[in-house]
Amino acid sequence: MKRFDYYDPQALQECLEILGGNTGAIPLAGGTDLIPRLKSTANPATALVSLRRIEELKRISANGTLAIGATTTLAEILQAAQGHNIPAAILDAAACIGSVQIRNAATLGGNVCNAAPSADTAPALLVLGGRAIIADCTGERTMALSDFFAAPGVTALVPGELLTRIEISSRRPGWGSCYMRHTPRSRMDLAVVGVAVALQVEGASIADASIALGAVAPTPMLAQEAAERLIGQDPALKCVEEAAALAAAACSPIDDVRATADYRRHLVSVLVQYAVGTAYARARADEKGAL
Amino acid sequence: MNRIEMTLEVNGRQRDIHVEPNQTLLEILREDLGLIGAKEGCGSGDCGACTVLVDDEAMCSCLLLAVEAEERQITTIEGLVPAGEIHPVQRAFIECGALQCGFCTPGMVLSTVALLRRSPQPTEDEIRDALAGNLCRCTGYDKIVRAVQVAAAEAVHV
């Protein structure tokens, strides 16, 4: 690994001042994406700013809205499922990433800010109305997560800014969500296609719906027209197939080593149908962990 | 970049070291502390041969900068039991034939210990999930899974 300056701030404001004064500095959370990148790249960071001591970034809090601190690890999110009403889609996504070792280090903020088109937590956060809370040394701003992903590996953060937390709707009765993906291996793989669905069910029909897709466009994306096709409908009817077809048409997958664009569109259609079914069942069951 | 003086707690002992920020915990363990049980199989967090316990959690030491490991309790394979003794998980691996070349074994044993500490009676699915980050090119995994089941069945304190 090339050499870099290393900063170890004790508090958030100190961290933001370092980032603000040093445009080549990269924040270090779990390091599961950043460290391999630093080992393999010719032109890496000139400075790393460790986030490990900054307590504000690690908290999960719920006050109507669920706020997950950016350096909360995926393992911590899975463990917190008992005490907090963390929506099932987030737990599905966190559980499928990497391995135990990776999940003990990797963070929600890191997965979001690395901004891979296939980032597993992104579709889950999108269907739950995710908002990015971003700070710099002058203050805070909030941005819809759907505006946060700009291009593969690129976010809306400008130099000096740090994602501090993600806010989403907490679990509410009548809601169910899920995230599922297709991978050739059962573990330690990147999503060929990822689909998240959140549904609000009233009686037997769908009162509200959201669908998001990963790995089938330059960024994780919402499939709004597909979701709208479900609203007011009984999911036993053809509307689910139609929504799935709309989602497949809305995305723009590429051919790559993992799959062809055609196969990805096919997988979107299949996974949307499965995911709607699972989210609907969870909403009807209203068990802890539903939504 | 300056060398940083720091103390690492490894296998219950405080070790004073000088590190560059760009050195991983794996490098420091192997090259400065002589603890060569952790191996570099890939350097990118995919194979798990570098697995150590950090505050009782399994982590890849190739992804952890040494400076980031300050104030955390590190356990390597050498620190599982006192020298000369053998840990029940190690005994189960030997008795079940769960190692051939042995390169993945320190990581496999530590991941197993981490699993059994949090989930003393895991299902086979839970075992395979817990070991998903530890690759083995020799055994085909079956005897490793059986060794974990044997160790769990003995219900020993790990």
Side-chain angles (χ1 to χ4, degrees):
Chain A
M1 242 189 292
K2 286 239 169 121
R3 295 175 151 192
F4 45 80
D5 292 323
Y6 173 80
Y7 297 93
D8 188 17
Q10 310 288 315
L12 183 58
Q13 191 56 30
E14 184 192 346
C15 171
L16 295 172
E17 280 159 17
I18 297 167
L19 288 171
N22 197 329
T23 51
I26 299 182
L28 172 64
T32 55
D33 282 318
L34 182 57
I35 300 298
R37 197 164 93 221
L38 292 180
K39 287 184 183 183
S40 67
T41 192
N43 247 340
T46 54
L48 291 197
V49 184
S50 174
L51 303 179
R52 68 187 172 111
R53 298 192 195 275
I54 303 171
E55 292 302 319
E56 300 99 298
L57 300 179
K58 293 187 219 272
R59 291 186 204 127
I60 300 180
S61 62
N63 252 331
T65 315
L66 187 63
I68 305 179
T71 61
T72 310
T73 68
L74 302 179
E76 285 165 350
I77 289 172
L78 292 169
Q79 278 152 36
Q82 311 301 325
H84 293 271
N85 288 329
I86 299 188
I90 307 283
L91 301 176
D92 291 340
C96 74
I97 292 174
S99 60
V100 166
Q101 293 93 320
I102 296 295
R103 293 191 291 274
N104 280 329
T107 64
L108 185 69
N111 191 236
V112 168
C113 292
N114 193 50
S118 56
D120 293 297
T121 63
L125 295 170
L126 284 172
V127 296
L128 296 165
R131 290 178 300 285
I133 314 307
I134 299 164
D136 68 9
C137 51
T138 68
E140 249 186 24
R141 64 184 178 112
T142 300
M143 167 180 262
L145 211 55
S146 46
D147 296 327
F148 186 77
F149 301 110
V154 181
T155 68
L157 293 175
V158 301
E161 287 188 321
L162 182 72
L163 177 73
T164 58
R165 63 191 184 278
I166 303 275
E167 290 178 356
I168 52 174
S169 329
S170 27
R171 175 183 169 269
R172 287 160 288 164
W175 278 85
S177 70
C178 106
Y179 173 75
M180 52 178 68
R181 66 181 193 168
H182 175 73
T183 52
R185 290 191 290 266
S186 62
R187 294 286 185 279
M188 294 298 277
D189 213 345
L190 288 178
V192 171
V193 167
V195 171
V197 171
L199 300 178
Q200 182 187 24
V201 173
E202 274 167 15
S205 67
I206 295 170
D208 201 356
S210 185
I211 300 176
L213 311 175
V216 288
T219 65
M221 54 174 279
L222 284 162
Q224 262 146 352
E225 206 190 332
E228 279 160 17
R229 187 66 196 84
L230 296 173
I231 295 176
Q233 302 290 326
D234 180 336
L237 305 177
K238 269 189 78 71
C239 62
V240 180
E241 269 182 57
E242 291 165 4
L246 286 168
C251 64
S252 48
I254 57 171
D255 291 337
D256 71 8
V257 292
R258 291 190 181 83
T260 62
D262 275 351
Y263 187 54
R264 285 184 153 115
R265 281 190 205 280
H266 170 71
L267 285 174
V268 166
S269 171
V270 170
L271 291 182
V272 164
Q273 294 181 69
Y274 284 161
V276 168
T278 299
Y280 183 78
R282 285 173 174 172
R284 293 299 299 268
D286 201 49
E287 289 161 341
K288 203 164 169 64
L291 182 75
Chain B
M1 178 166 65
N2 298 317
R3 285 174 79 73
I4 297 172
E5 272 184 44
M6 59 178 288
T7 304
L8 272 186
E9 184 185 328
V10 183
N11 298 332
R13 285 175 57 193
Q14 300 296 322
R15 308 294 301 264
D16 293 322
I17 52 174
H18 286 80
V19 299
E20 306 267 5
N22 66 346
Q23 290 186 290
T24 62
L25 178 62
L26 179 64
E27 281 178 62
I28 300 305
L29 289 173
R30 291 183 58 83
E31 294 171 30
D32 290 27
L33 300 181
L35 295 166
I36 56 172
K39 316 291 188 193
E40 182 171 44
C42 71
S44 55
D46 292 298
C47 77
C50 68
T51 301
V52 297
L53 301 183
V54 179
D55 297 330
D56 260 1
E57 302 287 3
M59 293 183 75
C60 288
S61 58
C62 74
L63 295 183
L64 191 56
L65 298 179
V67 291
E68 293 274 299
E70 199 178 24
E71 289 158 25
R72 306 189 74 177
Q73 294 181 318
I74 314 290
T75 305
T76 70
I77 189 70
E78 293 90 346
L80 214 49
V81 286
E85 290 180 30
I86 189 166
H87 190 277
V89 169
Q90 289 171 313
R91 189 181 326 107
F93 269 60
I94 294 167
E95 288 176 355
C96 292
L99 65 156
Q100 292 181 31
C101 81
F103 197 82
C104 75
T105 309
M108 283 287 184
V109 169
L110 289 170
S111 284
T112 299
V113 168
L115 167 66
L116 295 180
R117 283 177 181 171
R118 68 174 180 273
S119 183
Q121 297 297 318
T123 63
E124 182 173 333
D125 275 352
E126 286 168 346
I127 293 171
R128 289 180 181 272
D129 188 72
L131 299 183
N134 293 85
L135 301 183
C136 173
R137 294 293 280 127
C138 295
T139 66
Y141 302 102
D142 188 63
K143 290 189 159 114
I144 292 173
V145 172
R146 288 188 200 296
V148 178
Q149 290 169 328
V150 164
E154 287 171 4
V156 287
H157 175 62
V158 296

